[in-house]
Structures are given as C-alpha cells and as structure tokens.
Amino acid sequence: MEPIILASASPRRQEILKLLNIPFKVIIPDIDEVAPEGMLPEKVPEYLAAKKVDAVARSLPTGSELPWILSADTVIILDGKIYGKPESQEDAVEYLKTLQGKTHKAVTGIALYNGNLHYVSTRTSVTKVTFAPMSQEEIDWYIGTGDWHGAAGAYRIQGLASCFIKKIDGTNSSVVGLPIFELYDMLKEQGYSILD
C-alpha cells in the first residue's frame, strides 16, 4: 500500500489508520481554523478538512511527487451553534452544561487528495449524539479527569464521556474524528485498496 500523509495531529485518527493497516506519516497543517462568515455550520468541517489538505500540499518541496493526503475536521453542533475545542476548563464546563440532556450533531468532514489524479474528494458524516442529563457533580468529575482536553464539544466518545452518552444515531468512528465507512468508500472510489 502507498503511504498516506495524514494532515492531522489527532492520535485518534492515527489509531484508525493503524487499525486499517494503512501506512502513513503525519504532517500538521499550518492553518487558521476559521470558516468564511455565513457558512452553514454543517459545511464547516468539510471546508476545513480541504483547507488542511491544501496547506500540506503547498508545504511539500516544489517539484516533489504529491502523494495521498488525508485530513478530517470534527465539530459539535447544537441549535445551529458550533462547539469546537474548549480553550479553558471554564469553557469545557459550559459546553457540557449546554450539551447534557440534549441531542446534538457531531459532524466530521473528510478530504482526500489523490496525487495520481491531482484530485481532492470530500465527504461529510453526521452522527446524532444524545447526552443523558448530568448533575453538576458528574460534570465536575468528568472535567477533573482531563479527558475533555483537545476534544470538540469538550468530550471524547471513546473515553469516560461514554458514561453519559445515552444514544448514538450514526457511527462511533465519525464522532471519534475519522468515519471509517466514508474513508474506506473514498479510498476504494479512488483506486486505493486496503485489502492487499
């Protein structure tokens, strides 16, 4: 299998590529993760994923063969508002207070650059996640674990937050940050086989 450049620092995305036995190396894109004013929240992750792929492609030495480049971006959306990664513990507490007892959308956009075809394909995966009502004590306990650091919406579905997740309508890997079905389908469509 040809190696893929993963345009992401996310250990979870790396774990998914390892699970699929896809050889990869990480190049972290240098971009401002800001979407254009007025863009629909559901469109933001796909836009940012494509922007990350473009930034990595531009960072490679001139004249070098551009290989496969993969990126993803995940946001949490509730009532039309995006909840990204909290910047502080206070933000994390507020996010969880807002999400508890409600159903929100975890939206992950993927961008895949095919160096052979000089083509970028993109997809979006949407999963609905329902949090059970949480007491202040439960929120404080979860925040105290530190599991929220660097996670969109201040929680990791594959971590301790699963204690409070009542229902998932969609795929777990999408909420983790790299939807496996969509990734496999995109690779297959582009002639990249993981079955070898």
Side-chain angles (χ1 to χ4, degrees):
M1 272 188 271
E2 294 176 273
I4 285 179
I5 292 174
L6 176 62
S8 170
S10 163
R12 266 68 49 198
R13 292 182 182 127
Q14 292 175 36
E15 284 165 16
I16 288 171
L17 291 184
K18 285 175 189 168
L19 172 73
L20 299 172
N21 287 317
I22 295 173
F24 68 93
K25 72 174 188 173
V26 173
I27 298 179
I28 299 167
D30 182 19
I31 67 159
D32 287 328
E33 294 194 26
V34 179
E37 196 73 34
M39 179 175 272
L40 287 172
E42 287 82 358
K43 300 283 185 194
V44 170
E46 200 173 290
Y47 168 83
L48 291 176
K51 199 171 164 184
K52 290 175 188 178
V53 163
D54 184 60
V56 166
R58 290 176 188 276
S59 75
L60 297 173
T62 307
S64 64
E65 278 292 310
L66 285 182
W68 298 89
I69 305 171
L70 171 68
S71 184
D73 191 81
T74 303
V75 298
I76 301 303
I77 301 172
L78 179 65
D79 299 328
K81 182 180 174 188
I82 289 178
Y83 293 83
K85 296 170 187 168
E87 292 181 12
S88 66
Q89 187 167 309
E90 290 72 28
D91 282 350
V93 169
E94 282 310 307
Y95 285 14
L96 290 178
K97 279 184 176 175
T98 304
L99 298 176
Q100 63 86 31
K102 296 178 185 153
T103 299
H104 63 266
K105 288 191 274 191
V107 182
T108 297
I110 311 177
L112 176 68
Y113 176 77
N114 179 333
N116 300 319
L117 299 177
H118 307 286
Y119 173 74
V120 177
S121 57
T122 58
R123 294 267 178 97
T124 294
S125 173
V126 180
T127 297
K128 291 181 180 175
V129 179
T130 304
F131 263 89
M134 294 171 74
S135 67
Q136 187 61 50
E137 184 184 15
E138 288 171 324
I139 290 172
D140 291 343
W141 171 79
Y142 182 71
I143 294 298
T145 68
D147 198 41
W148 58 272
H149 283 283
Y155 75 91
R156 284 201 168 78
I157 199 166
Q158 73 279 22
L160 295 168
S162 56
C163 293
F164 310 108
I165 291 170
K166 188 175 176 180
K167 185 180 173 192
I168 300 171
D169 181 9
T171 64
N172 200 55
S173 62
S174 179
V175 187
V176 170
L178 189 57
I180 293 172
F181 171 77
E182 282 80 1
L183 172 61
Y184 176 71
D185 203 44
M186 288 170 80
L187 289 168
K188 188 167 72 170
E189 188 180 85
Q190 297 293 321
Y192 185 105
S193 176
I194 69 165
L195 309 180
D196 301 333

